[in-house]
Amino acid sequence: MPDGAEHKREGPDPQDAPETDAQRRRRRAQFLRELHEAKALRDRVQPRRVKAARMRQAMRMRTFRW
C-alpha cells in the first residue's frame, strides 16, 4: 500500500521542521483529488440525489438576480 508508506515517511517530518509551501500544496492537491474521486463515486451510486441537486442548482441560477 503506497499511501501508507508515504504517511510513515512524512509523519515525523512536520515535528522536526515546519512544513514547506511545496509540501502543503502537494498535500492539498492529493486531498482535492481524493475529494473529487469520492464525489464522483457518490454521484454514480446515488443518481437520483445527483439529479435533484442539479435541478436545485438550476433553479437557484434561474432565480439569481445580477
Side-chain angles (χ1 to χ4, degrees):
M1 178 177 201
D3 292 335
E6 288 181 19
H7 292 297
K8 287 179 185 173
R9 184 172 46 87
E10 293 179 11
D13 220 10
Q15 295 163 352
D16 296 340
E19 186 178 39
T20 65
D21 285 343
Q23 289 172 328
R24 186 185 62 79
R25 284 193 301 269
R26 195 175 306 115
R27 237 179 358 97
R28 182 175 185 272
Q30 177 67 27
F31 169 77
L32 291 175
R33 275 193 302 272
E34 291 174 0
L35 180 66
H36 181 50
E37 183 181 337
K39 285 182 178 180
L41 176 62
R42 186 183 63 201
D43 292 352
R44 281 196 306 272
V45 299
Q46 297 177 337
R48 186 178 298 166
R49 182 175 293 179
V50 174
K51 183 178 179 184
R54 238 187 352 255
M55 297 296 274
R56 284 192 301 273
Q57 177 65 16
M59 183 61 73
R60 278 196 299 269
M61 294 307 287
R62 279 196 300 269
T63 58
F64 182 77
R65 292 186 181 261
W66 296 97

